[in-house]
Structures are given as C-alpha cells and as structure tokens.
Amino acid sequence: MKNKLHIISVVGIAALALATPFTSFAAEKKSAAASPSPSASAAASTAKSERPLPYHGMISSVDQSAKTFTIASKESSRVFKITDKTLISKGGSPATMADVVEKEEVRGSYWKNADGTCEAKAVKLGPKASAESKKAKASSSAAASASPSASAKP
C-alpha cells in the first residue's frame, strides 16, 4: 500500500513539474500579446477610422485649388478633402471637382483621420432621388425588358 501511494505521489509531482514550464510559457506569450508595441500604437494613431461615416447637407463654400468643400450647420462646419480615391457623382453619372459648387445639395461618406480632418470617400451631388422616381424607373425598365411571350396567355 505504501508503495502504491509513493508511486502515485511521484507521478503527480512529475506531471506538475512537466506542466509548469508550458503554463509559464503560455502566460508570457499572452502578456506579450496584451501589451502592444510602440510602433503598433503609432500606426493606429495615424490610421483612418475603421469605416466611412455618412454626411449630407448644403455646400457652403468650395476651394478648387485645395480640393475641399465645406458643409455648414447650426453648430459648426465641416471641411471635406477630396482625394484621387474619392468617387464623385452627379445624378448617377461620374462627375469631377469642377462640378462641386456652392449652394448644392451633397451627401456621401467620409473617413475621419487621426488629426481630425475629414477625407471624402464618396460625394453625391444634387438632391436625393425620391422613392417614387426610383419605382417609376424600375417599372419602366421592367416593362421595356419584358418580351411578348412573357405576357398573360388566354
């Protein structure tokens, strides 16, 4: 009986001794992953917001040379920078920076940079098409694409 108890305790101690280095290694790995490196935090501070934010309003001013436009609201105004990656459209067709003019309705999405500037991702000029006109366009295109064989049979 004493022999069995002695064997069980030796096996238990051996198992504990073998498992200790693995658990301490896993703890070191976890703590290293938890504390980001200084270069990772610097990269995150210069990055854009994770996804674009929506905007809409009336253009109050345009600076063609700086490629910016401003939307003024009651509380503040926001300046949006147009880059080479910005998609500009007017009435559903492509447009250019020259089409961005004052007192025109605009909507789209933008990224907020770490320094607080707003970089336009998409700029849609002109009033938003109403739901009725979208339905009319959809029904007219569906009627135009329907073939005579698709009509009701007697």
Side-chain angles (χ1 to χ4, degrees):
M1 181 77 153
K2 287 183 182 180
N3 204 11
K4 285 185 181 180
L5 185 60
H6 183 52
I7 292 173
I8 291 173
S9 63
V10 169
V11 170
I13 292 171
L16 183 63
L18 288 175
T20 303
F22 295 119
T23 57
S24 65
F25 178 71
E28 288 174 13
K29 213 172 166 184
K30 192 179 277 186
S31 67
S35 61
S37 66
S39 62
S41 62
S45 66
T46 59
K48 299 176 187 175
S49 59
E50 290 184 24
R51 60 180 147 168
L53 303 168
Y55 69 88
H56 68 280
M58 191 69 67
I59 297 175
S60 60
S61 66
V62 178
D63 185 353
Q64 294 287 341
S65 61
K67 290 190 171 185
T68 61
F69 65 93
T70 305
I71 296 177
S73 66
K74 292 178 183 176
E75 299 87 33
S76 64
S77 62
R78 294 182 289 175
V79 177
F80 296 94
K81 173 80 175 149
I82 294 179
T83 65
D84 295 336
K85 297 178 184 177
T86 303
L87 301 172
I88 304 173
S89 64
K90 185 171 186 173
S93 57
T96 63
M97 181 63 192
D99 295 321
V100 179
V101 294
E102 290 182 17
K103 296 186 177 157
E104 183 162 16
E105 199 173 327
V106 65
R107 65 193 179 287
S109 59
Y110 70 98
W111 284 292
K112 183 119 182 172
N113 293 328
D115 60 355
T117 59
C118 301
E119 182 180 323
K121 177 186 179 213
V123 177
K124 297 177 183 175
L125 301 167
K128 187 174 182 179
S130 67
E132 294 172 7
S133 64
K134 286 183 180 179
K135 286 180 184 177
K137 285 183 181 179
S139 65
S140 66
S141 65
S145 64
S147 64
S149 62
S151 62
K153 294 182 180 178

